[in-house]
Structure formats: C-alpha cells, structure tokens
C-alpha cells in the first residue's frame, strides 16, 4: 500500500466547493490530498490532474515556473466541467525537496537550466513517484482519467501503474519572461508537449 485513506471534509474555494480527501504514506508519514467535485460513481472518464507540490508557485506566486498557473487553471477547468479530480502530491521540486529546490534556483540564477541544476546537486532531473495515485483512485472508485498534463513521463508513469488514461488534455498557461527558459528546457530536455505557443504573460 502506497497510501492509506484518513478522512474527508468539504473545501469551499473560489472555483467551487470541493470534497477534500486526506491520505498518508504509512512508511514515511508524508501526506497527500485529493480534491473531487461532482459524481464519483459515473463510469465516464473523469477530468483530472496530478499536481506535485510547488510552494513557491502554488502559494508564493512565483513566476519562475508555471505550477501555480496550472493549479488554478486545473481547478477552473474542473469547476467548468462540473466533475473532476485534483490529486495534490507532496513532492516539492520534482522530488528533491524545498531547500534543495532553493539551491537549484541559485544555480539557475548563475546560468544553469532546471535539468542542469538538479544534476549538479546530484539528483536526477525528475524524482517524482506517482504510485500513491493508484491507491487514491482505488479508494475514490475512479477508473479512467482525462488527464490534464503536458508531461509525457507522467502519462507513462500512470499508465504503467495500470491507471487508464482515456485522453490527455493540454494545460498551457502562465508563460512569462521569467519562466520562458524553464518552459523551453522542459520541452527540449524533458519532452514536454507544447502544441502551440501561447502569449499569455499574466503581467501583460
């Protein structure tokens, strides 16, 4: 078992009133949540996002990445759909942790890209683990996802866990002068899909 279910409560947000389900990794004590909206019993694929924690982008409005913008757009999309799921996974900095992420940002300030910075610190480019998603989906009785992501590795990882991805939904938001190089590196070195270039600078 990757995670065990703990409890559920209501979570009013500007986007809608979600149910928040808490999960815990028995071995590490690490905590994760799932936000759901609408009917969980329908057999139709559910609009969903797996979102890894990004304190700087999600809570501190950092423009160095697109994480906060993607989180908000995912919640808006779920609200528009009237039914959906967001799994919020506690694996900061693509799995290296907050303090190492700050160290990586310092290296980026000196000219390294996001992959080079991780590697100079002795980490792989992406250390995230999605195994907890299988248990979370099983508990919620969700069998098929319309997954909001630009990341092919995420699709491959979830599919390898036996999770059915019926459709990939692009999530292109938040491009700005501060994260242009970061997004280009994700495309060129990590294989992220960017079907169209969006001029969506939030400061414009």
């Amino acid at each position: 078992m990757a995670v065990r279910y703990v409890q559920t409560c209501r979570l009013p947000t500007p986007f809608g009133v979600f149910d928040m389900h808490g999960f815990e990794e028995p071995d590490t004590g690490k905590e994760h949540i799932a936000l759901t909206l609408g009917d969980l019993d329908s057999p139709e694929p559910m609009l969903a996002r797996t979102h890894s924690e990004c304190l700087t982008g999600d809570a501190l409005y950092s423009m160095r990445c697109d994480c906060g913008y993607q989180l908000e757009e995912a919640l808006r999309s779920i609200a528009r759909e009237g039914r959906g799921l967001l799994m919020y996974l506690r694996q900061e900095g693509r799995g290296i942790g907050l303090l190492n992420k700050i160290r990586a940002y310092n290296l980026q300030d000196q000219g390294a890209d996001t992959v080079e910075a991780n590697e100079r610190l002795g980490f792989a480019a992406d250390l995230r683990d999605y195994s907890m998603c299988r248990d979370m989906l099983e508990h919620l009785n969700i069998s098929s996802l319309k997954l909001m992501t630009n990341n092919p590795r995420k699709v491959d990882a979830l599919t390898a866990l036996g999770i059915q991805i019926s459709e990939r939904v692009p999530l292109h938001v938040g491009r700005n002068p501060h994260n242009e190089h970061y997004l280009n590196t994700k495309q060129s070195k990590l294989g992220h899909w960017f079907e169209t270039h969006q001029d969506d600078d939030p400061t414009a």
Side-chain angles (χ1 to χ4, degrees), residues 166-204:
S166 68
E167 179 184 350
R168 184 186 70 85
V169 180
L171 193 59
H172 301 309
V173 290
R175 184 179 288 269
N176 66 72
H178 300 282
N179 67 20
E180 186 85 20
H181 183 52
Y182 165 80
L183 294 178
N184 290 340
T185 299
K186 287 208 297 185
Q187 182 176 20
S188 64
K189 290 192 174 183
L190 299 176
H192 285 219
W193 293 299
F194 290 97
E195 290 84 354
T196 59
H197 178 83
Q198 290 191 329
D199 182 14
D200 56 0
D201 180 353
T203 66

Side-chain angles (χ1 to χ4, degrees), residues 21 29 37 45-46 59 63 65 90 99 102 104 137 141 181-182 191:
H21 313 270
L37 181 70
M46 176 169 275
M63 298 172 67
C65 64
R90 305 295 299 279
L99 296 184
I102 294 172
L137 291 169
N141 197 32
H181 183 52
Y182 165 80

Side-chain angles (χ1 to χ4, degrees), residues 2-204:
V3 293
R4 65 176 183 87
Y5 168 71
V6 177
Q7 191 54 270
T8 296
C9 68
R10 293 173 65 254
L11 184 72
T13 78
F15 313 102
V17 180
F18 291 80
D19 287 327
M20 182 166 65
H21 313 270
F23 297 86
E24 182 181 39
E25 294 183 16
D27 295 337
T28 66
K30 189 177 292 186
E31 300 163 339
H32 310 280
I33 63 169
L35 300 181
T36 60
L37 181 70
D39 181 13
L40 300 185
D41 295 326
S42 171
E44 294 299 313
M46 176 169 275
L47 184 64
R49 173 161 176 79
T50 63
H51 188 91
S52 295
E53 179 180 30
C54 177
L55 177 69
T56 49
D58 298 342
L60 300 178
Y61 309 102
S62 170
M63 298 172 67
R64 297 185 69 135
C65 64
D66 55 346
C67 303
Y69 305 111
Q70 289 187 321
L71 176 62
E72 290 191 16
E73 182 58 27
L75 292 173
R76 287 193 190 96
S77 297
I78 290 169
R80 286 194 297 265
E81 184 97 348
R83 177 174 178 265
L85 160 75
L86 186 137
M87 291 179 282
Y88 195 89
L89 312 177
R90 305 295 299 279
Q91 41 190 3
E92 180 78 44
R94 295 203 300 272
I96 67 174
L98 180 58
L99 296 184
N100 281 321
K101 178 179 177 179
I102 294 172
R103 293 184 178 101
Y105 276 173
N106 177 264
L107 292 173
Q108 291 173 43
D109 289 342
Q110 299 174 50
D113 65 36
T114 182
V115 171
E116 292 166 346
N118 273 28
E119 291 174 346
R120 289 183 192 179
L121 292 172
F123 300 110
D126 193 339
L127 292 173
R128 286 176 293 183
D129 172 27
Y130 298 100
S131 59
M132 70 287 288
C133 296
R134 179 174 51 201
D135 291 345
M136 295 165 81
L137 291 169
E138 183 176 333
H139 173 80
L140 297 168
N141 197 32
I142 297 170
S143 59
S144 180
L145 306 179
K146 296 186 293 183
L147 188 68
M148 291 182 278
T149 186
N150 308 321
N151 185 353
R153 298 184 184 195
K154 185 181 294 185
V155 174
D156 291 344
L158 294 177
T159 301
L161 290 167
I163 296 168
Q164 181 180 348
I165 309 296
S166 68
E167 179 184 350
R168 184 186 70 85
V169 180
L171 193 59
H172 301 309
V173 290
R175 184 179 288 269
N176 66 72
H178 300 282
N179 67 20
E180 186 85 20
H181 183 52
Y182 165 80
L183 294 178
N184 290 340
T185 299
K186 287 208 297 185
Q187 182 176 20
S188 64
K189 290 192 174 183
L190 299 176
H192 285 219
W193 293 299
F194 290 97
E195 290 84 354
T196 59
H197 178 83
Q198 290 191 329
D199 182 14
D200 56 0
D201 180 353
T203 66

